[in-house]
Amino acid sequence: MKPLVHGRWLLPALLLLTLSLVVGHRFMPLRQLVLLPTAEDVRFIYDDTDAGGGNRVEWVDYDNNHFRCTRGSDKPSLYCGLNLSLSEDEVHGVDLSGFEQLRIDLELDTTAPLIALFMRNFNSAYSTAGSSESAQYINFHLEPDDYAPSVVVRFDEFRLADWWLNGRNLPRQYRAPEFSNIILVGISLSGELPAGPHEAAVKRLVVEGPWVSAEALYLGIISAWLTGAVAFLLLQLTHHYRSASAARQQYSELYQRHRALHSEAQTLSELSRRDGLTGLLNRYGLMQAVDALDMSAEAPVSLLLLDVDHFKRINDRRGHLEGDNVLVNVAQLIASATRATDILARWGGEEFLILLPGISGDSALKRGESIRQSIFEAACFREKSLAVTVSVGVTEIRPSESLESALARADQCLYRAKGLGRNCCVLEREIS
Ligand SMILES: Nc1nc2c(ncn2[C@@H]2O[C@H](COP(=O)(O)OP(=O)(O)OP(=O)(O)O)[C@@H](O)[C@H]2O)c(=O)[nH]1
């Protein structure tokens, strides 16, 4: 399974993306909502005549929101301005809470000491339908130094007017400006207007704010990182689990193969030590068995060298296959006449070698005699009218003597047995 290579690039890429979002968010163009002019804007001008004031308002150019306030000198100057309605029923307004500032493009020709920008927010918690006066009055006063063709006022600069707040006994949460349901936006030439005409044209009224609030952005980034981290951990866990399973599977397969090879090697090793026809040890197997034998601990150790008599004749008369059978039967007879601790080997064609640990030369002679007898009388040969006999050379291996040396003596004994007419055993002593 491939490791998660792409993970190397993913982390720097995500860090870069996060950094870009955090930094880029500050420089992203703001979302805008144009309040004026719009195709269906509803606006009207007003003055303080009914309140006993001395200001008179009139349109100079309705299409361009251009109005004039003329101050009469005999009465007080209260207010005079232009309102923009954002609600048909003065109850359902526009939610501006996602915005951050108000931008107003103005053309002014006035010496008014103040220009009030204001909004009204309807909330049934403190407002009554049909009474626009009950909607929150949120305002900000521009002073002459602030007058400019384009003025921006942040929402956090707006305040609730004291005259609206006083006497209402509102709970604390309603004593701060709300922008969630604005039903009216207005501009008013305020303060003590100098006598004479004052003109203002509202070219454009726009609210602006980020497409995504900083709070939502950071929350989104944190959520994305947390989700990513959990997903990454899960992927890692799955990856490691699969790798571990694959490794376990591989280990198990290798172990099975190792066991099969081991058993095969044991079989081959065993085969390499055995004679293919009789199943007795071959020369190589015998040497290994002798190497493993502690001669001094097992002393005395005797050696029998046994040869089938006139075997060539058997082969010639009964065929090679029958000759093989004779060799197999002789091996079986030898095996059944010996102990498990004795070491049996096929030494050559029709020659067998028997090592008898813990057995002296005299006892070995008796054993050789017993083996010779059992072969001579074997029913398996008599049944086939086969006269199978063996001659045996017997010797006791001397302390520290090599096998080759003892074998040479046993061979002499065997030669002597053949000379004595075969089908007999000769002990080394008998020829010395
Ligand atoms: N069938 C068979 N014959 C074998 C095998 N190995 C050797 N021989 C034969 O054994 C015979 C041994 O003959 P000789 O060495 O002349 O000995 P012998 O006929 O037994 O005579 P003596 O040893 O003097 O009694 C040969 O003919 C070999 O071909 C074998 O594995 N199978």
CSV table of all heavy atoms in Angstrom, one decimal, residues 339-378:
chain,number,residue,atom,x,y,z
A,339,ARG,N,19.0,-54.0,17.8
A,339,ARG,CA,18.3,-53.1,18.8
A,339,ARG,C,18.2,-51.7,18.1
A,339,ARG,O,18.9,-51.4,17.1
A,339,ARG,CB,19.2,-52.9,20.0
A,339,ARG,CG,19.6,-54.1,20.7
A,339,ARG,CD,20.7,-53.9,21.7
A,339,ARG,NE,21.9,-53.3,21.0
A,339,ARG,CZ,22.9,-52.8,21.7
A,339,ARG,NH1,23.0,-52.8,23.0
A,339,ARG,NH2,24.0,-52.4,21.0
A,340,ALA,N,17.3,-50.9,18.7
A,340,ALA,CA,17.1,-49.6,18.1
A,340,ALA,C,18.4,-48.7,18.2
A,340,ALA,O,18.6,-47.8,17.4
A,340,ALA,CB,16.0,-48.9,18.9
A,341,THR,N,19.2,-49.0,19.2
A,341,THR,CA,20.4,-48.2,19.4
A,341,THR,C,21.5,-48.7,18.5
A,341,THR,O,22.6,-48.0,18.4
A,341,THR,CB,20.9,-48.4,20.9
A,341,THR,OG1,20.9,-49.8,21.2
A,341,THR,CG2,20.0,-47.6,21.8
A,342,ASP,N,21.4,-49.8,17.8
A,342,ASP,CA,22.4,-50.2,16.8
A,342,ASP,C,22.3,-49.4,15.6
A,342,ASP,O,21.2,-48.9,15.2
A,342,ASP,CB,22.2,-51.7,16.5
A,342,ASP,CG,22.4,-52.6,17.7
A,342,ASP,OD1,23.0,-52.2,18.7
A,342,ASP,OD2,21.8,-53.7,17.7
A,343,ILE,N,23.4,-49.2,14.9
A,343,ILE,CA,23.5,-48.4,13.7
A,343,ILE,C,23.7,-49.3,12.5
A,343,ILE,O,24.7,-50.0,12.4
A,343,ILE,CB,24.6,-47.4,13.8
A,343,ILE,CG1,24.4,-46.5,15.0
A,343,ILE,CG2,24.7,-46.6,12.5
A,343,ILE,CD1,25.6,-45.6,15.4
A,344,LEU,N,22.7,-49.3,11.6
A,344,LEU,CA,22.7,-50.2,10.4
A,344,LEU,C,22.9,-49.4,9.2
A,344,LEU,O,22.3,-48.3,9.0
A,344,LEU,CB,21.3,-50.9,10.3
A,344,LEU,CG,20.7,-51.4,11.6
A,344,LEU,CD1,19.4,-52.1,11.3
A,344,LEU,CD2,21.7,-52.4,12.3
A,345,ALA,N,23.7,-49.9,8.3
A,345,ALA,CA,24.0,-49.2,7.0
A,345,ALA,C,24.2,-50.1,5.9
A,345,ALA,O,24.6,-51.3,6.1
A,345,ALA,CB,25.2,-48.2,7.2
A,346,ARG,N,23.8,-49.7,4.7
A,346,ARG,CA,24.2,-50.5,3.5
A,346,ARG,C,25.5,-49.9,3.1
A,346,ARG,O,25.6,-48.8,2.7
A,346,ARG,CB,23.1,-50.4,2.4
A,346,ARG,CG,23.4,-51.2,1.2
A,346,ARG,CD,22.3,-51.1,0.2
A,346,ARG,NE,22.6,-51.9,-1.0
A,346,ARG,CZ,22.1,-51.6,-2.2
A,346,ARG,NH1,21.2,-50.7,-2.3
A,346,ARG,NH2,22.5,-52.4,-3.3
A,347,TRP,N,26.5,-50.7,3.2
A,347,TRP,CA,27.9,-50.2,2.9
A,347,TRP,C,28.3,-50.2,1.5
A,347,TRP,O,28.9,-49.3,1.0
A,347,TRP,CB,28.9,-51.1,3.8
A,347,TRP,CG,30.2,-50.5,3.8
A,347,TRP,CD1,31.4,-51.0,3.2
A,347,TRP,CD2,30.6,-49.3,4.3
A,347,TRP,NE1,32.4,-50.2,3.5
A,347,TRP,CE2,32.0,-49.1,4.1
A,347,TRP,CE3,29.9,-48.3,5.0
A,347,TRP,CZ2,32.7,-48.0,4.6
A,347,TRP,CZ3,30.6,-47.2,5.5
A,347,TRP,CH2,32.0,-47.0,5.2
A,348,GLY,N,27.8,-51.2,0.7
A,348,GLY,CA,28.1,-51.2,-0.7
A,348,GLY,C,27.0,-52.0,-1.4
A,348,GLY,O,25.8,-52.0,-0.9
A,349,GLY,N,27.2,-52.6,-2.6
A,349,GLY,CA,26.2,-53.3,-3.3
A,349,GLY,C,25.4,-54.3,-2.5
A,349,GLY,O,24.2,-54.1,-2.2
A,350,GLU,N,26.1,-55.4,-2.0
A,350,GLU,CA,25.4,-56.4,-1.3
A,350,GLU,C,26.1,-56.5,0.1
A,350,GLU,O,26.0,-57.6,0.7
A,350,GLU,CB,25.4,-57.7,-2.0
A,350,GLU,CG,26.6,-58.6,-1.9
A,350,GLU,CD,27.8,-58.1,-2.7
A,350,GLU,OE1,27.9,-56.9,-3.0
A,350,GLU,OE2,28.8,-58.9,-2.9
A,351,GLU,N,26.6,-55.4,0.5
A,351,GLU,CA,27.4,-55.4,1.8
A,351,GLU,C,26.7,-54.5,2.8
A,351,GLU,O,26.3,-53.4,2.5
A,351,GLU,CB,28.8,-54.8,1.5
A,351,GLU,CG,29.9,-55.7,2.0
A,351,GLU,CD,31.3,-55.1,1.6
A,351,GLU,OE1,31.4,-53.9,1.3
A,351,GLU,OE2,32.2,-55.9,1.5
A,352,PHE,N,26.6,-55.0,4.0
A,352,PHE,CA,26.0,-54.2,5.1
A,352,PHE,C,26.9,-54.1,6.3
A,352,PHE,O,27.7,-54.9,6.5
A,352,PHE,CB,24.7,-55.0,5.6
A,352,PHE,CG,23.7,-55.1,4.5
A,352,PHE,CD1,23.7,-56.2,3.6
A,352,PHE,CD2,22.7,-54.1,4.3
A,352,PHE,CE1,22.7,-56.3,2.6
A,352,PHE,CE2,21.7,-54.3,3.3
A,352,PHE,CZ,21.7,-55.3,2.5
A,353,LEU,N,26.7,-53.0,7.0
A,353,LEU,CA,27.6,-52.7,8.1
A,353,LEU,C,26.7,-52.4,9.4
A,353,LEU,O,25.7,-51.7,9.3
A,353,LEU,CB,28.5,-51.4,7.8
A,353,LEU,CG,29.6,-51.1,8.8
A,353,LEU,CD1,30.7,-50.3,8.0
A,353,LEU,CD2,29.1,-50.2,9.9
A,354,ILE,N,27.1,-53.1,10.5
A,354,ILE,CA,26.3,-52.9,11.7
A,354,ILE,C,27.3,-52.5,12.8
A,354,ILE,O,28.2,-53.1,13.1
A,354,ILE,CB,25.6,-54.2,12.1
A,354,ILE,CG1,24.8,-54.7,10.9
A,354,ILE,CG2,24.7,-54.0,13.3
A,354,ILE,CD1,24.4,-56.2,11.0
A,355,LEU,N,26.9,-51.3,13.5
A,355,LEU,CA,27.7,-50.9,14.6
A,355,LEU,C,26.9,-51.2,15.9
A,355,LEU,O,25.7,-50.9,16.0
A,355,LEU,CB,27.9,-49.4,14.6
A,355,LEU,CG,29.1,-48.8,13.8
A,355,LEU,CD1,29.1,-47.3,13.9
A,355,LEU,CD2,30.4,-49.3,14.5
A,356,LEU,N,27.6,-51.8,16.8
A,356,LEU,CA,26.9,-52.3,18.0
A,356,LEU,C,27.4,-51.6,19.2
A,356,LEU,O,28.4,-52.0,19.8
A,356,LEU,CB,27.0,-53.8,18.2
A,356,LEU,CG,26.5,-54.6,17.0
A,356,LEU,CD1,26.9,-56.1,17.2
A,356,LEU,CD2,25.0,-54.6,16.9
A,357,PRO,N,26.9,-50.4,19.7
A,357,PRO,CA,27.4,-49.7,20.8
A,357,PRO,C,27.2,-50.6,22.1
A,357,PRO,O,26.1,-51.2,22.3
A,357,PRO,CB,26.6,-48.4,20.9
A,357,PRO,CG,25.9,-48.3,19.5
A,357,PRO,CD,25.8,-49.7,19.0
A,358,GLY,N,28.2,-50.5,23.0
A,358,GLY,CA,28.1,-51.2,24.3
A,358,GLY,C,28.2,-52.7,24.2
A,358,GLY,O,27.9,-53.5,25.1
A,359,ILE,N,28.7,-53.2,23.0
A,359,ILE,CA,28.8,-54.7,22.8
A,359,ILE,C,30.2,-55.0,22.5
A,359,ILE,O,30.9,-54.4,21.6
A,359,ILE,CB,27.9,-55.1,21.6
A,359,ILE,CG1,26.4,-54.7,21.8
A,359,ILE,CG2,28.1,-56.6,21.3
A,359,ILE,CD1,25.7,-55.5,22.8
A,360,SER,N,30.7,-56.0,23.3
A,360,SER,CA,32.1,-56.4,23.1
A,360,SER,C,32.2,-57.3,21.8
A,360,SER,O,31.2,-57.8,21.3
A,360,SER,CB,32.6,-57.2,24.3
A,360,SER,OG,31.9,-58.4,24.4
A,361,GLY,N,33.4,-57.7,21.5
A,361,GLY,CA,33.7,-58.5,20.3
A,361,GLY,C,33.0,-59.9,20.4
A,361,GLY,O,32.4,-60.4,19.5
A,362,ASP,N,33.1,-60.5,21.6
A,362,ASP,CA,32.5,-61.8,21.8
A,362,ASP,C,31.0,-61.8,21.6
A,362,ASP,O,30.4,-62.6,21.0
A,362,ASP,CB,32.9,-62.4,23.2
A,362,ASP,CG,34.4,-62.7,23.2
A,362,ASP,OD1,34.9,-63.2,22.2
A,362,ASP,OD2,35.0,-62.5,24.3
A,363,SER,N,30.4,-60.8,22.3
A,363,SER,CA,28.9,-60.7,22.2
A,363,SER,C,28.5,-60.3,20.8
A,363,SER,O,27.5,-60.8,20.2
A,363,SER,CB,28.4,-59.5,23.1
A,363,SER,OG,28.7,-59.8,24.4
A,364,ALA,N,29.4,-59.5,20.1
A,364,ALA,CA,29.1,-59.2,18.7
A,364,ALA,C,29.1,-60.4,17.8
A,364,ALA,O,28.3,-60.5,16.9
A,364,ALA,CB,30.1,-58.1,18.2
A,365,LEU,N,30.0,-61.3,18.1
A,365,LEU,CA,30.1,-62.5,17.3
A,365,LEU,C,28.8,-63.3,17.5
A,365,LEU,O,28.2,-63.8,16.5
A,365,LEU,CB,31.3,-63.4,17.9
A,365,LEU,CG,31.5,-64.7,17.1
A,365,LEU,CD1,31.8,-64.5,15.7
A,365,LEU,CD2,32.6,-65.5,17.8
A,366,LYS,N,28.3,-63.3,18.7
A,366,LYS,CA,27.0,-64.0,18.9
A,366,LYS,C,25.9,-63.4,18.1
A,366,LYS,O,25.0,-64.1,17.5
A,366,LYS,CB,26.7,-64.1,20.4
A,366,LYS,CG,27.5,-65.0,21.2
A,366,LYS,CD,27.1,-65.0,22.7
A,366,LYS,CE,28.2,-65.7,23.5
A,366,LYS,NZ,28.3,-65.3,24.8
A,367,ARG,N,25.9,-62.1,18.2
A,367,ARG,CA,24.8,-61.4,17.4
A,367,ARG,C,24.9,-61.6,15.9
A,367,ARG,O,23.9,-61.8,15.2
A,367,ARG,CB,24.9,-59.9,17.7
A,367,ARG,CG,24.5,-59.6,19.2
A,367,ARG,CD,24.2,-58.2,19.4
A,367,ARG,NE,23.9,-58.0,20.8
A,367,ARG,CZ,22.8,-57.3,21.2
A,367,ARG,NH1,22.0,-56.8,20.3
A,367,ARG,NH2,22.6,-57.2,22.5
A,368,GLY,N,26.2,-61.5,15.5
A,368,GLY,CA,26.4,-61.8,14.0
A,368,GLY,C,25.9,-63.2,13.7
A,368,GLY,O,25.3,-63.4,12.6
A,369,GLU,N,26.2,-64.1,14.5
A,369,GLU,CA,25.8,-65.5,14.3
A,369,GLU,C,24.3,-65.6,14.3
A,369,GLU,O,23.7,-66.3,13.4
A,369,GLU,CB,26.4,-66.4,15.5
A,369,GLU,CG,26.2,-67.9,15.3
A,369,GLU,CD,26.9,-68.3,14.0
A,369,GLU,OE1,27.9,-67.8,13.5
A,369,GLU,OE2,26.3,-69.3,13.4
A,370,SER,N,23.6,-64.9,15.2
A,370,SER,CA,22.2,-64.9,15.2
A,370,SER,C,21.6,-64.3,14.0
A,370,SER,O,20.6,-64.8,13.4
A,370,SER,CB,21.8,-64.1,16.5
A,370,SER,OG,20.5,-63.6,16.4
A,371,ILE,N,22.2,-63.2,13.5
A,371,ILE,CA,21.7,-62.6,12.2
A,371,ILE,C,21.9,-63.5,11.1
A,371,ILE,O,21.0,-63.7,10.2
A,371,ILE,CB,22.4,-61.2,12.0
A,371,ILE,CG1,22.1,-60.2,13.1
A,371,ILE,CG2,22.1,-60.7,10.6
A,371,ILE,CD1,22.9,-59.0,13.1
A,372,ARG,N,23.1,-64.1,11.0
A,372,ARG,CA,23.4,-65.0,9.9
A,372,ARG,C,22.4,-66.2,9.9
A,372,ARG,O,21.8,-66.5,8.8
A,372,ARG,CB,24.8,-65.6,10.1
A,372,ARG,CG,25.3,-66.5,9.0
A,372,ARG,CD,26.4,-67.4,9.4
A,372,ARG,NE,26.1,-68.3,10.5
A,372,ARG,CZ,25.3,-69.4,10.4
A,372,ARG,NH1,24.8,-69.7,9.2
A,372,ARG,NH2,25.0,-70.2,11.4
A,373,GLN,N,22.1,-66.7,11.1
A,373,GLN,CA,21.1,-67.8,11.2
A,373,GLN,C,19.7,-67.4,10.8
A,373,GLN,O,19.1,-68.2,10.0
A,373,GLN,CB,21.1,-68.2,12.7
A,373,GLN,CG,20.3,-69.5,13.0
A,373,GLN,CD,21.2,-70.7,12.6
A,373,GLN,OE1,22.4,-70.7,12.5
A,373,GLN,NE2,20.5,-71.8,12.2
A,374,SER,N,19.3,-66.2,11.2
A,374,SER,CA,17.9,-65.8,10.8
A,374,SER,C,17.8,-65.6,9.3
A,374,SER,O,16.7,-65.9,8.8
A,374,SER,CB,17.6,-64.5,11.5
A,374,SER,OG,18.4,-63.4,11.0
A,375,ILE,N,18.9,-65.2,8.7
A,375,ILE,CA,18.8,-65.0,7.2
A,375,ILE,C,18.8,-66.4,6.5
A,375,ILE,O,18.1,-66.7,5.6
A,375,ILE,CB,20.0,-64.2,6.7
A,375,ILE,CG1,19.8,-62.7,7.2
A,375,ILE,CG2,20.1,-64.2,5.2
A,375,ILE,CD1,21.0,-61.8,7.0
A,376,PHE,N,19.7,-67.3,7.1
A,376,PHE,CA,19.8,-68.6,6.5
A,376,PHE,C,18.4,-69.4,6.6
A,376,PHE,O,18.1,-70.1,5.7
A,376,PHE,CB,20.9,-69.4,7.3
A,376,PHE,CG,21.1,-70.8,6.9
A,376,PHE,CD1,21.5,-71.1,5.5
A,376,PHE,CD2,20.9,-71.8,7.8
A,376,PHE,CE1,21.7,-72.4,5.2
A,376,PHE,CE2,21.1,-73.2,7.4
A,376,PHE,CZ,21.5,-73.4,6.1
A,377,GLU,N,17.7,-69.1,7.7
A,377,GLU,CA,16.4,-69.8,7.9
A,377,GLU,C,15.2,-69.0,7.5
A,377,GLU,O,14.1,-69.4,7.7
A,377,GLU,CB,16.3,-70.2,9.4
A,377,GLU,CG,17.3,-71.2,9.8
A,377,GLU,CD,17.4,-71.3,11.3
A,377,GLU,OE1,16.6,-70.6,12.0
A,377,GLU,OE2,18.1,-72.2,11.8
A,378,ALA,N,15.5,-67.8,6.9
A,378,ALA,CA,14.3,-66.9,6.6
A,378,ALA,C,13.3,-67.6,5.7
A,378,ALA,O,13.6,-68.1,4.6
A,378,ALA,CB,14.8,-65.6,6.0
